[in-house]
Amino acid sequence: MKKFFTTFCIVLGFVFISTASFAANANENVNSLWAKGNEAYSIGEFNNAIQYYSKIEKQGLVSAALYYNMGNAYYRMKENGKAILYYERTLKVDPANSDARINLQFASAQTLDKIEEVPDFIFITWIKNVRNSLSSNGWATLALVLLGFTLLFLLGFKFVGRRRAKKICFIISCCMLFFTIVSFLFSVNLAIRANSSDSAIVMNNIGNVKSAPNTTGNSIFVLHQGTKLKILEKAEGWDRIQIKDGRQGWIETEDIEVI
């Protein structure tokens, strides 16, 4: 038994060292690719920068900073559709990124399709603006901080002797709890959105939207590169989509790329 335990510890130690070494090498490789990509971007070699950044993306090590740099590189290369795609991906990860939002507005202004969005109610727009003021992690951190204050004021309510002070502590703790729940819900909502695949950008110069998911269907309208749309349903090689003004139809999957 002792011999088995010793062997087990040796094997476990070897696995741990191998895993740690692999993780360190992978991290070093990513850092090297990031540095090379930034260097290529700084000297105007945007295509090379994209190649380095794409290698990081293929490893699944994505971030708002990576997407933002890729969006900027594509924009400098005048690949507007790709630039819009990566600015949208930046905001999907970090909706509070004001630079990406401004650059997205510049890039979107250059698209051919000028579609008027059906406006939300003012209250819904306000809630979305508040939600997008922080990232998912930011709201989660705020929720934890507020929860700490909630517990602190609950302790005050329990141990403070004066009645007026008890009442104040109780009211404040209730308010803190409310904002804790709101922050948590915002964090969850943004996390779900970051992992969703229900929005896309038109990548081809022209995308024909049809009445049915086949090439023989009637063409309803045409979309151009860079236009954002919502995916409602999928069929083999086709997606039923909706654009900002409410119009719907079917477009070939190869014409779009999911954000």
Side-chain angles (χ1 to χ4, degrees):
M1 184 70 180
K2 185 177 180 181
K3 185 177 180 180
F4 171 79
F5 181 74
T6 303
T7 305
F8 176 77
C9 288
I10 292 172
V11 171
L12 186 63
F14 177 76
V15 171
F16 176 78
I17 292 172
S18 299
T19 304
S21 177
F22 175 78
N25 290 335
N27 188 56
E28 183 179 355
N29 182 46
V30 169
N31 290 337
S32 175
L33 290 171
W34 178 251
K36 289 177 180 178
N38 290 342
E39 183 181 358
Y41 183 91
S42 67
I43 60 177
E45 296 179 355
F46 303 117
N47 189 48
N48 289 337
I50 287 294
Q51 291 181 22
Y52 290 123
Y53 293 146
S54 296
K55 288 179 181 178
I56 300 175
E57 184 184 24
K58 288 176 182 177
Q59 294 182 39
L61 302 172
V62 298
S63 65
L66 176 67
Y67 285 150
Y68 179 66
N69 282 13
M70 293 181 76
N72 286 340
Y74 277 120
Y75 186 77
R76 292 298 187 91
M77 293 169 62
K78 302 188 183 304
E79 294 189 29
N80 209 42
K82 285 284 188 180
I84 291 172
L85 175 68
Y86 280 96
Y87 288 142
E88 288 283 2
R89 285 178 175 174
T90 303
L91 293 172
K92 195 174 180 181
V93 176
D94 180 15
N97 192 315
S98 58
D99 290 334
R101 193 171 298 280
I102 292 171
N103 289 359
L104 175 61
Q105 290 174 353
F106 279 118
S108 297
Q110 299 175 29
T111 58
L112 293 176
D113 297 324
K114 308 301 178 186
I115 304 169
E116 290 195 20
E117 186 173 2
V118 178
D120 290 322
F121 291 111
I122 295 176
F123 181 67
I124 294 176
T125 302
W126 180 81
I127 290 177
K128 286 181 178 180
N129 289 337
V130 173
R131 180 199 63 187
N132 293 340
S133 63
L134 292 174
S135 65
S136 177
N137 289 339
W139 282 114
T141 302
L142 180 60
L144 290 174
V145 172
L146 291 173
L147 180 61
F149 278 108
T150 301
L151 296 174
L152 183 65
F153 280 101
L154 283 175
L155 288 173
F157 170 75
K158 182 175 178 62
F159 294 107
V160 169
R162 289 182 297 179
R163 185 174 179 181
R164 180 178 175 81
K166 275 182 174 289
K167 186 176 181 180
I168 291 173
C169 285
F170 180 75
I171 292 173
I172 293 177
S173 64
C174 288
C175 292
M176 289 290 180
L177 181 60
F178 171 76
F179 287 115
T180 299
I181 293 171
V182 170
S183 298
F184 174 75
L185 292 176
F186 280 166
S187 176
V188 171
N189 180 262
L190 289 174
I192 291 172
R193 289 181 70 247
N195 292 289
S196 66
S197 55
D198 60 349
S199 297
I201 301 295
V202 178
M203 287 292 104
N204 280 356
N205 290 330
I206 296 177
N208 287 304
V209 181
K210 296 184 174 291
S211 59
N214 53 61
T215 54
T216 58
N218 295 326
S219 183
I220 306 174
F221 54 91
V222 171
L223 296 176
H224 299 87
Q225 186 183 84
T227 300
K228 185 179 180 180
L229 48 83
K230 184 177 182 180
I231 300 173
L232 303 176
E233 183 183 349
K234 287 182 172 292
E236 188 174 351
W238 292 83
D239 292 305
R240 186 166 71 89
I241 57 95
Q242 178 177 303
I243 56 177
K244 290 187 293 184
D245 61 6
R247 287 182 291 170
Q248 297 183 11
W250 291 88
I251 191 170
E252 290 189 80
T253 303
E254 63 182 19
D255 289 343
I256 63 177
E257 189 166 345
V258 173
I259 297 172

PDB file of all heavy atoms in Angstrom, residues 240-254:
ATOM      1  N   ARG A 240     -33.073  32.198 -41.070  1.00  0.00           N
ATOM      2  CA  ARG A 240     -34.171  33.176 -41.109  1.00  0.00           C
ATOM      3  C   ARG A 240     -33.747  34.342 -40.235  1.00  0.00           C
ATOM      4  O   ARG A 240     -33.428  34.178 -39.057  1.00  0.00           O
ATOM      5  CB  ARG A 240     -35.485  32.574 -40.611  1.00  0.00           C
ATOM      6  CG  ARG A 240     -36.687  33.519 -40.782  1.00  0.00           C
ATOM      7  CD  ARG A 240     -38.001  32.766 -40.611  1.00  0.00           C
ATOM      8  NE  ARG A 240     -38.222  32.391 -39.234  1.00  0.00           N
ATOM      9  CZ  ARG A 240     -38.843  33.151 -38.318  1.00  0.00           C
ATOM     10  NH1 ARG A 240     -39.281  34.354 -38.654  1.00  0.00           N
ATOM     11  NH2 ARG A 240     -39.011  32.717 -37.100  1.00  0.00           N
ATOM     12  N   ILE A 241     -33.756  35.531 -40.830  1.00  0.00           N
ATOM     13  CA  ILE A 241     -33.182  36.689 -40.137  1.00  0.00           C
ATOM     14  C   ILE A 241     -34.190  37.838 -40.039  1.00  0.00           C
ATOM     15  O   ILE A 241     -35.217  37.859 -40.734  1.00  0.00           O
ATOM     16  CB  ILE A 241     -31.902  37.168 -40.848  1.00  0.00           C
ATOM     17  CG1 ILE A 241     -32.182  37.520 -42.349  1.00  0.00           C
ATOM     18  CG2 ILE A 241     -30.835  36.095 -40.771  1.00  0.00           C
ATOM     19  CD1 ILE A 241     -32.461  38.959 -42.624  1.00  0.00           C
ATOM     20  N   GLN A 242     -33.863  38.761 -39.171  1.00  0.00           N
ATOM     21  CA  GLN A 242     -34.656  39.982 -39.032  1.00  0.00           C
ATOM     22  C   GLN A 242     -33.708  41.158 -38.930  1.00  0.00           C
ATOM     23  O   GLN A 242     -32.721  41.099 -38.199  1.00  0.00           O
ATOM     24  CB  GLN A 242     -35.532  39.913 -37.788  1.00  0.00           C
ATOM     25  CG  GLN A 242     -36.353  41.180 -37.540  1.00  0.00           C
ATOM     26  CD  GLN A 242     -37.266  41.046 -36.343  1.00  0.00           C
ATOM     27  OE1 GLN A 242     -38.098  40.143 -36.293  1.00  0.00           O
ATOM     28  NE2 GLN A 242     -37.106  41.924 -35.365  1.00  0.00           N
ATOM     29  N   ILE A 243     -33.997  42.227 -39.665  1.00  0.00           N
ATOM     30  CA  ILE A 243     -33.160  43.421 -39.593  1.00  0.00           C
ATOM     31  C   ILE A 243     -33.819  44.460 -38.688  1.00  0.00           C
ATOM     32  O   ILE A 243     -34.932  44.248 -38.191  1.00  0.00           O
ATOM     33  CB  ILE A 243     -32.871  43.999 -40.992  1.00  0.00           C
ATOM     34  CG1 ILE A 243     -34.169  44.293 -41.752  1.00  0.00           C
ATOM     35  CG2 ILE A 243     -32.007  43.036 -41.783  1.00  0.00           C
ATOM     36  CD1 ILE A 243     -33.947  44.929 -43.105  1.00  0.00           C
ATOM     37  N   LYS A 244     -33.134  45.568 -38.465  1.00  0.00           N
ATOM     38  CA  LYS A 244     -33.535  46.528 -37.435  1.00  0.00           C
ATOM     39  C   LYS A 244     -34.920  47.132 -37.646  1.00  0.00           C
ATOM     40  O   LYS A 244     -35.579  47.525 -36.687  1.00  0.00           O
ATOM     41  CB  LYS A 244     -32.492  47.649 -37.332  1.00  0.00           C
ATOM     42  CG  LYS A 244     -31.175  47.184 -36.748  1.00  0.00           C
ATOM     43  CD  LYS A 244     -30.231  48.336 -36.490  1.00  0.00           C
ATOM     44  CE  LYS A 244     -29.763  48.998 -37.769  1.00  0.00           C
ATOM     45  NZ  LYS A 244     -28.755  50.067 -37.515  1.00  0.00           N
ATOM     46  N   ASP A 245     -35.363  47.220 -38.902  1.00  0.00           N
ATOM     47  CA  ASP A 245     -36.682  47.816 -39.144  1.00  0.00           C
ATOM     48  C   ASP A 245     -37.814  46.800 -39.054  1.00  0.00           C
ATOM     49  O   ASP A 245     -38.967  47.133 -39.312  1.00  0.00           O
ATOM     50  CB  ASP A 245     -36.708  48.528 -40.504  1.00  0.00           C
ATOM     51  CG  ASP A 245     -36.450  47.576 -41.671  1.00  0.00           C
ATOM     52  OD1 ASP A 245     -36.364  46.343 -41.443  1.00  0.00           O
ATOM     53  OD2 ASP A 245     -36.312  48.062 -42.808  1.00  0.00           O
ATOM     54  N   GLY A 246     -37.482  45.550 -38.716  1.00  0.00           N
ATOM     55  CA  GLY A 246     -38.505  44.533 -38.508  1.00  0.00           C
ATOM     56  C   GLY A 246     -38.711  43.574 -39.665  1.00  0.00           C
ATOM     57  O   GLY A 246     -39.381  42.546 -39.523  1.00  0.00           O
ATOM     58  N   ARG A 247     -38.158  43.861 -40.823  1.00  0.00           N
ATOM     59  CA  ARG A 247     -38.317  42.972 -41.975  1.00  0.00           C
ATOM     60  C   ARG A 247     -37.598  41.649 -41.743  1.00  0.00           C
ATOM     61  O   ARG A 247     -36.528  41.620 -41.128  1.00  0.00           O
ATOM     62  CB  ARG A 247     -37.795  43.640 -43.251  1.00  0.00           C
ATOM     63  CG  ARG A 247     -38.686  44.747 -43.787  1.00  0.00           C
ATOM     64  CD  ARG A 247     -38.119  45.322 -45.075  1.00  0.00           C
ATOM     65  NE  ARG A 247     -36.894  46.075 -44.827  1.00  0.00           N
ATOM     66  CZ  ARG A 247     -36.082  46.520 -45.785  1.00  0.00           C
ATOM     67  NH1 ARG A 247     -36.354  46.238 -47.057  1.00  0.00           N
ATOM     68  NH2 ARG A 247     -35.009  47.216 -45.476  1.00  0.00           N
ATOM     69  N   GLN A 248     -38.202  40.569 -42.264  1.00  0.00           N
ATOM     70  CA  GLN A 248     -37.649  39.228 -42.074  1.00  0.00           C
ATOM     71  C   GLN A 248     -37.515  38.512 -43.411  1.00  0.00           C
ATOM     72  O   GLN A 248     -38.132  38.901 -44.415  1.00  0.00           O
ATOM     73  CB  GLN A 248     -38.547  38.409 -41.149  1.00  0.00           C
ATOM     74  CG  GLN A 248     -38.679  38.953 -39.744  1.00  0.00           C
ATOM     75  CD  GLN A 248     -39.529  38.067 -38.853  1.00  0.00           C
ATOM     76  OE1 GLN A 248     -39.864  36.927 -39.206  1.00  0.00           O
ATOM     77  NE2 GLN A 248     -39.880  38.569 -37.674  1.00  0.00           N
ATOM     78  N   GLY A 249     -36.701  37.474 -43.415  1.00  0.00           N
ATOM     79  CA  GLY A 249     -36.526  36.657 -44.612  1.00  0.00           C
ATOM     80  C   GLY A 249     -35.433  35.631 -44.387  1.00  0.00           C
ATOM     81  O   GLY A 249     -34.912  35.492 -43.273  1.00  0.00           O
ATOM     82  N   TRP A 250     -35.091  34.916 -45.450  1.00  0.00           N
ATOM     83  CA  TRP A 250     -34.071  33.865 -45.373  1.00  0.00           C
ATOM     84  C   TRP A 250     -32.828  34.280 -46.155  1.00  0.00           C
ATOM     85  O   TRP A 250     -32.936  34.795 -47.261  1.00  0.00           O
ATOM     86  CB  TRP A 250     -34.611  32.559 -45.947  1.00  0.00           C
ATOM     87  CG  TRP A 250     -35.691  31.929 -45.109  1.00  0.00           C
ATOM     88  CD1 TRP A 250     -37.028  32.175 -45.185  1.00  0.00           C
ATOM     89  CD2 TRP A 250     -35.519  30.965 -44.078  1.00  0.00           C
ATOM     90  NE1 TRP A 250     -37.702  31.419 -44.269  1.00  0.00           N
ATOM     91  CE2 TRP A 250     -36.801  30.656 -43.570  1.00  0.00           C
ATOM     92  CE3 TRP A 250     -34.407  30.317 -43.529  1.00  0.00           C
ATOM     93  CZ2 TRP A 250     -37.003  29.739 -42.547  1.00  0.00           C
ATOM     94  CZ3 TRP A 250     -34.600  29.404 -42.507  1.00  0.00           C
ATOM     95  CH2 TRP A 250     -35.873  29.126 -42.028  1.00  0.00           C
ATOM     96  N   ILE A 251     -31.661  34.069 -45.544  1.00  0.00           N
ATOM     97  CA  ILE A 251     -30.403  34.385 -46.207  1.00  0.00           C
ATOM     98  C   ILE A 251     -29.479  33.182 -46.083  1.00  0.00           C
ATOM     99  O   ILE A 251     -29.542  32.429 -45.094  1.00  0.00           O
ATOM    100  CB  ILE A 251     -29.763  35.649 -45.591  1.00  0.00           C
ATOM    101  CG1 ILE A 251     -28.604  36.150 -46.448  1.00  0.00           C
ATOM    102  CG2 ILE A 251     -29.292  35.386 -44.158  1.00  0.00           C
ATOM    103  CD1 ILE A 251     -28.085  37.526 -46.027  1.00  0.00           C
ATOM    104  N   GLU A 252     -28.624  32.982 -47.071  1.00  0.00           N
ATOM    105  CA  GLU A 252     -27.707  31.850 -47.021  1.00  0.00           C
ATOM    106  C   GLU A 252     -26.679  32.036 -45.884  1.00  0.00           C
ATOM    107  O   GLU A 252     -26.155  33.132 -45.677  1.00  0.00           O
ATOM    108  CB  GLU A 252     -26.982  31.701 -48.351  1.00  0.00           C
ATOM    109  CG  GLU A 252     -27.894  31.214 -49.482  1.00  0.00           C
ATOM    110  CD  GLU A 252     -27.110  30.853 -50.740  1.00  0.00           C
ATOM    111  OE1 GLU A 252     -26.554  29.746 -50.777  1.00  0.00           O
ATOM    112  OE2 GLU A 252     -27.074  31.709 -51.640  1.00  0.00           O
ATOM    113  N   THR A 253     -26.431  30.956 -45.169  1.00  0.00           N
ATOM    114  CA  THR A 253     -25.527  31.000 -44.012  1.00  0.00           C
ATOM    115  C   THR A 253     -24.136  31.485 -44.382  1.00  0.00           C
ATOM    116  O   THR A 253     -23.485  32.188 -43.610  1.00  0.00           O
ATOM    117  CB  THR A 253     -25.439  29.600 -43.365  1.00  0.00           C
ATOM    118  OG1 THR A 253     -26.755  29.173 -43.008  1.00  0.00           O
ATOM    119  CG2 THR A 253     -24.561  29.617 -42.127  1.00  0.00           C
ATOM    120  N   GLU A 254     -23.690  31.136 -45.589  1.00  0.00           N
ATOM    121  CA  GLU A 254     -22.338  31.509 -46.014  1.00  0.00           C
ATOM    122  C   GLU A 254     -22.197  33.017 -46.263  1.00  0.00           C
ATOM    123  O   GLU A 254     -21.085  33.523 -46.365  1.00  0.00           O
ATOM    124  CB  GLU A 254     -21.950  30.744 -47.274  1.00  0.00           C
ATOM    125  CG  GLU A 254     -22.823  31.052 -48.472  1.00  0.00           C
ATOM    126  CD  GLU A 254     -22.428  30.241 -49.703  1.00  0.00           C
ATOM    127  OE1 GLU A 254     -21.738  29.208 -49.558  1.00  0.00           O
ATOM    128  OE2 GLU A 254     -22.847  30.653 -50.818  1.00  0.00           O
TER     129      GLU A 254
END
